[in-house]
Amino acid sequence: MQYIYKYSSPLGGMTLASDGDAITGAWFDGQKYFGATLKGERREADLLIFSEAAAWLDRYFRGERPGALPAIRLEGSAFRMAVWDILRQIPYGQVVTYGWIAEAIARKLGLKHMSAQAVGGAVGHNPVSIFVPCHRVVGSGGSLTGYAGGMDRKVRLLEIEGHGVVQKSADNFSITRKMFNFAP
């Protein structure tokens, strides 16, 4: 049995999913890959994990550092899990590039090269938006590329975390803050 919970964020409705013990999904309603991990029977429920997740999101959307994450359980291929593990390590208010993640994965696996596009695919399929901060991944030079929840939401999430976002044209955004490279 999977459980769902409706959360009303300042950026639109969200659906949270849980196996009863941990958050297994968090999507903006209608986003790309919405509900991709929801399999089988599910029902709406008020669970402790949803209360914890909602309180965390409330703090986040108020612009506060939300503190320790509620329990999260991710399932995916070994490659996606490796990418999502790096995402979970990106500090609040910081960003890294798809290319940087690709280099980190290549080093970890002892490879000469890893495709930034492959990393982008794994980032885009992250089933637990915001909690696993895929919005903190940007293109080379700070350009904002892709976000399953929509570019306007990615811009807003980065602004909440203190990034200045510049719109260069109708569909071309970049951030003004320098990127932070950390050792995953």
Side-chain angles (χ1 to χ4, degrees):
M1 170 69 71
Q2 290 195 19
Y3 304 94
I4 58 172
Y5 176 84
K6 299 294 187 173
Y7 175 80
S8 180
S9 88
L11 303 182
M14 293 183 73
T15 298
L16 307 180
S18 174
D19 58 9
D21 297 316
I23 297 296
T24 58
W27 306 273
F28 285 104
D29 293 344
Q31 83 172 48
K32 194 174 187 178
Y33 312 118
F34 178 88
T37 60
L38 291 175
K39 309 267 189 266
E41 189 178 344
R42 59 183 165 249
R43 67 179 168 98
E44 285 194 45
D46 282 326
L47 304 174
L48 177 59
I49 189 65
F50 288 141
S51 296
E52 293 169 355
W56 189 95
L57 287 167
D58 288 345
R59 290 189 300 273
Y60 179 88
F61 283 116
R62 284 194 303 264
E64 301 170 12
R65 290 184 184 254
L69 286 170
I72 292 175
R73 183 167 296 120
L74 297 169
E75 292 183 10
S77 69
F79 176 72
R80 285 185 179 178
M81 294 297 288
V83 171
W84 299 338
D85 183 54
I86 289 175
L87 295 180
R88 292 175 76 167
Q89 296 176 53
I90 304 170
Y92 179 95
Q94 301 298 329
V95 295
V96 298
T97 66
Y98 294 96
W100 186 86
I101 294 173
E103 290 172 10
I105 298 272
R107 277 192 309 274
K108 183 176 182 177
L109 299 176
L111 302 172
K112 290 183 181 181
H113 177 74
M114 172 61 62
S115 164
Q117 288 79 16
V119 166
V123 170
H125 284 84
N126 165 27
V128 187
S129 296
I130 303 176
F131 297 103
V132 176
C134 52
H135 62 278
R136 295 180 188 153
V137 184
V138 299
S140 61
S143 63
L144 299 190
T145 59
Y147 183 64
M151 190 60 71
D152 290 342
R153 287 185 179 123
K154 182 170 185 163
V155 167
R156 189 66 192 109
L157 294 170
L158 291 170
E159 288 173 340
I160 287 170
E161 294 186 22
H163 291 280
V165 178
V166 176
Q167 184 170 1
K168 296 179 181 176
S169 68
D171 61 350
N172 187 0
F173 296 87
S174 65
I175 61 169
T176 57
R177 177 179 252 183
K178 291 191 177 200
M179 283 167 258
F180 176 78
N181 289 334
F182 61 96

